Amino acid sequence: MIYESFILGIVCLVHAINGVPTPIVLWHGMGDSCCNPLSMGSVKRLFEREISGVYVRSLEIGNSVAQDTENGFFMNCNKQVELVCQKLRNDTRLHNGYHAVGFSQGGQFLRAVAQTCPFPPMKNLISIGGQ
């Protein structure tokens, strides 16, 4: 399965600090949502299954799956990046850094996060189908 090959590559990047693996932040592409069980939800579960004890944060832009999907099309990209920076700063489990994985538009926007949000530190950015 393509996801399993992908996960093996990510597992090589995730190293443990005091026995705890570095957290992973996921950002979906346009037309998807953070929690769709057939897409990002399955990616999140795969990371959690393959990397024991890892914290995975799948980003939701809005207050529901429907809002998250709509915002991917209609919310200003700078506003989305600003909201994500705030979410990441407020997530205490990310304060020692995280690995970012973006799919399509999510990869592009995570690049903006890497360039504009120094805290918490992004250790690695993997962009799948993005620029």
Side-chain angles (χ1 to χ4, degrees):
M1 183 171 208
I2 191 166
Y3 283 138
E4 291 179 9
S5 297
F6 165 71
I7 291 299
L8 290 175
I10 301 297
V11 169
C12 291
L13 286 176
V14 178
H15 61 280
I17 299 172
N18 296 327
V20 179
T22 301
I24 299 170
V25 173
L26 304 174
W27 199 340
H28 60 82
M30 186 180 284
D32 201 356
S33 71
C34 67
C35 311
N36 182 333
L38 300 176
S39 59
M40 295 309 290
S42 69
V43 172
K44 181 179 187 292
R45 285 190 309 276
L46 189 58
F47 276 125
E48 292 167 339
R49 184 181 73 224
E50 296 297 323
I51 307 168
S52 180
V54 72
Y55 169 60
V56 181
R57 170 105 188 230
S58 189
L59 295 168
E60 181 177 46
I61 310 301
N63 297 318
S64 68
V65 169
Q67 249 186 8
D68 187 26
T69 303
E70 290 172 14
N71 286 337
F73 288 104
F74 302 116
M75 183 182 277
N76 178 284
C77 61
N78 292 316
K79 180 67 175 167
Q80 290 186 59
V81 169
E82 190 178 302
L83 287 171
V84 165
C85 288
Q86 182 179 24
K87 287 175 183 272
L88 299 179
R89 268 194 312 273
N90 292 335
D91 190 334
T92 58
R93 292 174 284 190
L94 302 176
H95 283 187
N96 290 323
Y98 62 94
H99 299 300
V101 180
F103 293 80
S104 190
Q105 175 176 279
Q108 185 71 31
F109 290 0
L110 280 168
R111 172 63 188 241
V113 169
Q115 292 181 276
T116 61
C117 308
F119 183 82
M122 182 186 295
K123 295 182 176 195
N124 292 288
L125 170 59
I126 299 171
S127 181
I128 312 291
Q131 300 171 356

